[in-house]
Amino acid sequence: MKITAKEPLSYIDGGPIQTICPYCGHKGTFEAISRDRCIQDQYICGQRLCPDKDCRGHLFVVLDRSGNLLFHYPFRNVSLKKENIPASIIKTFDEAVTCHAQNCFVASAIMTRRTLEEICEEQGAVGKNLKTRIHDLQKKILLPQELFDAMDELRLLDHDATRINADVFKQISTQELDVALELTIEILKALYHYSSLLSKMRELKNKYPEQQDEFA
Ligand SMILES: [Zn+2]
């Protein structure tokens, strides 16, 4: 995104923005820390601060004249520990996140779907399409039933991979893509992090069975 700024640059108040902090991963209302400038009577450029008191991360932002966030730097980063997640799945997911951060939403939607497909394949989930395969994952992970029910609203998961085409991805809103990315993160955590934590706790129990009994 290139914005050329020619004088005069008027001052304007773009107001607070709602976004997810690229530093701490918390969603919040980011207040301005200096006066915004209006460029080409089209863009509002300024600086915002993360509301989290332990973070206070700084963002450069570009808004449209209605106050909608068009761009921020640093780009959004997803706070997700990569340990125990297969490298090929992380690689695909990183591409989905990077494309999203660069406002390449169609590419991000394709890679988000690809990530979910790879997870299902790695876990041996079965079903006639991606949605049913993810439902099949329910046997292996602990996630609220409501999350699986709400998943039916995601068009990103419709169709079979061989039938889905670029037009379907173009119709997907950024809001829907955000939800799909969040869902993917929760599935990754539930599959690869919680199960790893559980096995570590079981190892402890096997190692110190007497102590466990004492506390019982
Ligand atoms: Zn933050």
Side-chain angles (χ1 to χ4, degrees), residues 29-208:
T29 304
F30 289 57
E31 300 283 346
I33 56 166
S34 62
R35 296 183 75 187
D36 296 327
R37 303 296 286 264
C38 184
I39 295 179
Q40 298 170 11
D41 202 29
Q42 191 177 359
Y43 301 113
I44 298 171
C45 297
Q47 305 177 68
R48 300 290 184 276
L49 213 57
C50 174
D52 188 293
K53 65 178 173 45
D54 295 323
C55 174
R56 307 300 277 169
H58 171 271
L59 294 184
F60 289 105
V61 297
V62 179
L63 320 175
D64 66 17
R65 288 299 302 265
S66 304
N68 299 310
L69 182 63
L70 299 177
F71 171 89
H72 67 66
Y73 186 85
F75 303 124
R76 181 181 166 191
N77 193 7
V78 169
S79 141
L80 175 73
K81 290 182 196 159
K82 296 178 179 176
E83 60 177 336
N84 302 314
I85 303 177
S88 59
I89 292 176
I90 280 295
K91 186 171 180 294
T92 309
F93 182 66
D94 277 347
E95 281 191 44
V97 173
T98 304
C99 290
H100 186 280
Q102 299 279 6
N103 294 344
C104 301
F105 298 121
V106 173
S108 179
I110 291 169
M111 295 314 286
T112 300
R113 185 186 158 102
R114 183 69 214 151
T115 306
L116 291 166
E117 283 171 348
E118 287 182 12
I119 292 170
C120 290
E121 196 178 324
E122 199 268 336
Q123 291 289 323
V126 292
K128 62 180 168 45
N129 57 34
L130 182 57
K131 201 173 273 181
T132 53
R133 287 197 287 280
I134 293 176
H135 276 289
D136 191 50
L137 282 178
Q138 265 184 288
K139 296 172 198 159
K140 300 168 189 274
I141 53 181
L142 282 172
L143 280 177
Q145 179 62 41
E146 290 82 357
L147 206 62
F148 284 97
D149 294 342
M151 208 164 58
D152 290 337
E153 305 302 319
L154 290 175
R155 283 172 302 163
L156 182 70
L157 307 178
D158 283 344
H159 310 289
D160 197 87
T162 52
R163 289 173 51 210
I164 197 160
N165 56 41
D167 287 341
V168 173
F169 287 111
K170 281 177 188 165
Q171 289 162 16
I172 292 165
S173 66
T174 54
Q175 190 186 10
E176 183 179 341
L177 179 57
D178 284 348
V179 172
L181 273 172
E182 297 292 332
L183 174 71
T184 308
I185 291 168
E186 290 309 313
I187 290 176
L188 284 170
K189 282 185 191 167
L191 273 174
Y192 301 103
H193 290 172
Y194 301 155
S195 57
S196 162
L197 180 62
L198 269 177
S199 60
K200 281 179 193 164
M201 290 166 88
R202 281 178 188 137
E203 269 175 41
L204 277 178
K205 191 175 181 182
N206 293 336
K207 201 170 172 184
Y208 307 112

